[in-house]
Amino acid sequence: MVERRLERPDAKQLLRHMDSEQATTRKKRFGRAPSRMQSYDLIMNSDALDIEQMADVLESAVRSKGLLETGTLSAAAEAQIQFQVRLKLARFGIVPPDKLQLRNKDFGHPSEEVFANLLDFYRIAWDYEPRSFPLQWDKDGKVLEAFTPDFYLPEFDLYVELTTMKQANVTKKNRKIRLLRAIYPHVKIQIFYQKDVQELVIKYQLPDRVAQ
């Protein structure tokens, strides 16, 4: 449900389909489908054990696998759930106590504000337009053209540029980024195009205005 963003009935149907495909594959390869029992970590016979005995066995297995310390969800699934909760709270202006307050910035485009909020939800540190890179100079060394990426993520030493403009302007920006990479090969930069921003809008159900 978490990974595929499905409701419970759809998730159950998908699991049944995946089980069926797996059984078909194993039957083709090995001549027989696997037993359903192989899908479980622990199986107990209720005819031989009463409820209290099964509970004792189950508790022992849980402690042996360390589930009380690590939890039953994978780290990726737990992080996704936490992110969705933070996103819903943020829509109502509620910020978790262990989260930094959103900074007030004058962004050049609504998509930049959305991206900054997503970084905050993920607890990723960022700076907005912290540096400009000269790209062309005149004969006297005066800067004729420069490029200022939208974001810098210090934890990853990565610059990020958002592009939601017309194709002609996108072409110009791509030229600047190619120049930047040629002049400053040590600088890491990632560009997000209009379709990337639209996918963020759809995936996280953000306001439609950011895709315009």
Side-chain angles (χ1 to χ4, degrees), residues 32-43:
R32 61 184 180 85
S35 169
R36 288 287 298 173
M37 291 183 179
Q38 296 178 7
S39 301
Y40 299 94
D41 295 320
L42 177 66
I43 299 173

Side-chain angles (χ1 to χ4, degrees), residues 13-208:
Q13 182 177 356
L14 177 60
L15 285 174
R16 286 193 293 268
H17 177 70
M18 292 170 63
D19 284 344
S20 176
E21 284 191 335
Q22 185 184 54
T24 301
T25 300
R26 288 188 63 86
K27 188 171 184 179
K28 288 180 179 179
R29 290 178 180 175
F30 307 111
R32 61 184 180 85
S35 169
R36 288 287 298 173
M37 291 183 179
Q38 296 178 7
S39 301
Y40 299 94
D41 295 320
L42 177 66
I43 299 173
M44 289 181 283
N45 187 348
S46 59
D47 291 334
L49 301 172
D50 60 30
I51 296 296
E52 291 184 358
Q53 290 172 327
M54 287 192 290
D56 289 340
V57 173
L58 181 59
E59 181 181 1
S60 177
V62 167
R63 293 186 183 279
S64 176
K65 290 183 67 67
L67 294 181
L68 295 178
E69 292 77 21
T70 61
T72 56
L73 291 177
S74 67
E78 185 174 358
Q80 179 70 6
I81 291 175
Q82 291 179 358
F83 170 74
Q84 292 297 334
V85 171
R86 291 197 301 271
L87 186 61
K88 290 179 181 179
L89 291 175
R91 289 174 182 165
F92 297 96
I94 301 173
V95 181
D98 63 335
K99 176 181 175 298
L100 296 176
Q101 295 291 329
L102 299 183
R103 288 170 281 177
N104 293 323
K105 288 282 186 179
D106 293 327
F107 295 100
H109 192 276
S111 62
E112 296 174 353
E113 182 177 3
V114 168
F115 189 75
N117 288 343
L118 285 174
L119 293 174
D120 281 331
F121 296 144
Y122 276 121
R123 294 181 175 84
I124 297 175
W126 57 269
D127 290 320
Y128 181 64
E129 296 185 343
R131 177 183 174 183
S132 293
F133 294 89
L135 299 179
Q136 293 191 44
W137 299 260
D138 64 12
K139 62 181 181 179
D140 298 322
K142 182 180 178 180
V143 176
L144 298 177
E145 183 180 21
F147 180 68
T148 305
D150 294 322
F151 292 91
Y152 175 64
L153 312 183
E155 296 177 48
F156 304 95
D157 188 24
L158 175 69
Y159 288 90
V160 175
E161 176 67 18
L162 303 181
T163 298
T164 60
M165 301 179 298
K166 296 181 180 179
Q167 184 59 44
N169 293 329
V170 171
T171 301
K172 294 179 181 179
K173 183 167 289 189
N174 284 338
R175 181 189 67 82
K176 289 187 175 183
I177 291 178
R178 285 196 298 270
L179 277 175
L180 186 149
R181 287 171 172 164
I183 300 172
Y184 308 94
H186 63 285
V187 173
K188 295 188 295 183
I189 184 168
Q190 174 67 48
I191 185 169
F192 283 83
Y193 296 98
Q194 183 174 7
K195 64 180 181 63
D196 300 316
V197 178
Q198 289 175 336
E199 287 175 1
L200 288 176
V201 173
I202 295 172
K203 184 174 182 180
Y204 298 111
Q205 301 176 0
L206 298 168
D208 291 338

